[in-house]
């Protein structure tokens, strides 16, 4: 506590370099990292719901997420190819 008070009162904070804009809390990079973290927490919540409330075995929950990943990749690939062949991208 005393080190922090001295840090403020002696104005030692002026000698510290500011954080690069790439790593600032409102940057695109950090916003993307936050979104990925929130996605992982949502997936964890869904896994818990599937295994605890519905009673699906753990391997079944993994299979559900694997299929969801495959189908979402398929859909994104089809949309990407459609946009590319139509000349929109």
């Amino acid at each position: 506590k005393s080190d922090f008070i001295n840090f403020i009162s002696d104005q030692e904070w002026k000698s510290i370099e500011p954080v690069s804009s790439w790593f600032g809390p409102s940057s695109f990079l950090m916003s993307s990292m936050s979104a990925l973290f929130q996605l992982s927490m949502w997936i964890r919540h869904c896994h818990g719901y599937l295994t605890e409330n519905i009673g699906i075995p753990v391997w079944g929950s993994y299979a559900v997420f694997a299929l969801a990943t495959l189908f979402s990749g398929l859909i994104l690939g089809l949309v990407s190819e459609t946009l590319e062949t139509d000349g929109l991208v």
Side-chain angles (χ1 to χ4, degrees), residues 1 5 7-8 10 14 23 27 33 42 44-45 50 59 71 77 81-82 87:
K1 179 180 173 182
I5 292 172
F7 179 77
I8 301 298
D10 296 339
K14 288 184 176 182
F23 299 109
S27 70
M33 293 288 287
W42 180 78
R44 180 178 175 200
H45 173 75
L50 290 173
W59 64 265
F71 284 124
E81 276 298 311
T82 303

Side-chain angles (χ1 to χ4, degrees), residues 46 50 56-71:
C46 289
L50 290 173
I56 295 176
V58 173
W59 64 265
S61 174
Y62 290 157
V64 167
F65 286 113
L67 289 172
T69 302
L70 288 172
F71 284 124

Side-chain angles (χ1 to χ4, degrees), residues 35-51 61-62 65 68-69:
L36 286 174
F37 181 73
Q38 290 175 350
L39 175 65
S40 70
M41 295 304 293
W42 180 78
I43 289 172
R44 180 178 175 200
H45 173 75
C46 289
H47 173 72
Y49 178 77
L50 290 173
T51 56
S61 174
Y62 290 157
F65 286 113
T69 302

